[in-house]
Amino acid sequence: MKLIQALDDVSCCAPLAQATMSQAEVIATARLFKALGDPNRVRIVHTLVRSAEPVCVCDVNDELDVSQPTVSFHLKKLLDAGLLRREQRGVWAYYSIDPDAAARIRDVLDLGMPR
């Protein structure tokens, strides 16, 4: 149930450049930034974005210089925020970026400024 709520939060974020934002949109957008507000989580997202295939948790562990429980903690935060997908293959979990969440992040960060 928590994951469903988190996905709703990601889906209801409003573009920062829109004329007005409701309190719910402000809170949802803050939750999104909070989920990405840790260097280890940014490293995880960076790793997953670069991969064409889902990445095994064992490879995520190798990418970070932290303990396995810490990696699991950060993956859970990203999952709860609706940013990742998790696939179980035997004893290993594989992670990928949720494409819908990625599209929403692009929309949120559209500042309406010329390039």
Side-chain angles (χ1 to χ4, degrees), residues 4 13 25 28 42 49 55 73 77 79 85 95 103 105 112:
I4 292 169
C13 296
E25 290 170 327
V42 172
V49 165
V55 176
F73 169 81
K77 290 289 187 184
L79 276 167
R85 289 187 176 172
Y95 293 88
I105 291 169

Side-chain angles (χ1 to χ4, degrees), residues 27-109:
I27 291 169
T29 304
R31 284 184 185 146
L32 172 66
F33 285 117
K34 185 174 181 181
L36 293 170
D38 180 276
N40 289 308
R41 290 183 216 145
V42 172
R43 173 75 61 204
I44 290 168
V45 170
H46 178 251
T47 298
L48 298 178
V49 165
R50 289 187 341 235
S51 178
E53 298 292 324
V55 176
C56 178
V57 68
C58 59
D59 295 326
V60 174
N61 283 337
D62 292 345
E63 193 73 25
L64 302 177
D65 190 24
V66 295
S67 68
Q68 185 279 322
T70 301
V71 171
S72 293
F73 169 81
H74 290 302
L75 286 167
K76 181 168 179 10
K77 290 289 187 184
L78 293 167
L79 276 167
D80 287 348
L83 298 174
L84 304 184
R85 289 187 176 172
R86 182 180 187 272
E87 175 187 345
Q88 194 69 37
R89 297 182 192 172
V91 299
W92 295 105
Y94 286 75
Y95 293 88
S96 59
I97 300 294
D98 184 297
D100 295 333
R104 281 308 295 151
I105 291 169
R106 281 190 297 275
D107 291 345
V108 166
L109 294 176

